[in-house]
Amino acid sequence: MCSYQNHEQDYVAIVMIPFPTQGLVNQLLQLACLITSSYDLPVHYVGSATHNYQARFRANALNPSDIAKIHFHDIPTPEFDSPPPDFNATSKFPSHHVPLWEASLLWREPIASFLRCFFLAQC
């Protein structure tokens, strides 16, 4: 088992897990680039393959040396229906996001597994 006393040098890394329906891809990428350029810390970006693809695609507009320090990790996401938005709905709640919300509730174990493996690899 790992213990803090066994570390010859403390290891610091940032793990970002953006919630898919919040639309934070650009903001978190900019924050990740700021962290890597200012503090030279590795950033691990954890998300679905689709959202990580979007993040990588948008990262083309950012500093390539900062992006190189961002490690993307895809976690499995179950298939789900993705209905289009209903612009004529009486409620303005974005109900088309509900299936993604429900699918993301199943991320708990894959994210916990990633974090366990990540931590053990650093010990």
Side-chain angles (χ1 to χ4, degrees):
M1 181 164 178
C2 296
S3 68
Y4 182 76
Q5 292 79 13
N6 290 339
H7 287 268
E8 290 183 23
Q9 178 179 356
D10 293 341
Y11 179 80
V12 176
I14 310 299
V15 178
M16 292 186 170
I17 306 171
F19 191 71
T21 62
Q22 296 299 311
L24 299 174
V25 172
N26 290 332
Q27 294 90 335
L28 286 178
L29 276 175
Q30 290 172 4
L31 177 60
C33 286
L34 180 65
I35 290 169
T36 60
S37 66
S38 300
Y39 301 102
D40 198 32
L41 294 172
V43 175
H44 297 267
Y45 200 93
V46 181
S48 71
T50 301
H51 287 93
N52 284 348
Y53 171 80
Q54 291 174 358
R56 284 186 196 99
F57 182 77
R58 294 175 187 183
N60 289 333
L62 300 172
N63 186 340
S65 64
D66 295 337
I67 295 301
K69 296 176 188 172
I70 300 174
H71 308 279
F72 291 92
H73 303 275
D74 297 342
I75 57 171
T77 303
E79 298 222 4
F80 58 91
D81 291 330
S82 184
D86 181 2
F87 297 108
N88 297 320
T90 55
S91 170
K92 296 303 177 190
F93 179 78
S95 60
H96 62 285
H97 286 301
V98 170
L100 178 57
W101 167 267
E102 291 171 349
S104 69
L105 293 176
L106 301 175
W107 283 359
R108 182 177 180 172
E109 182 52 40
I111 290 173
S113 178
F114 168 80
L115 292 173
R116 278 191 297 275
C117 291
F118 181 80
F119 174 75
L120 291 175
Q122 306 312 318
C123 293

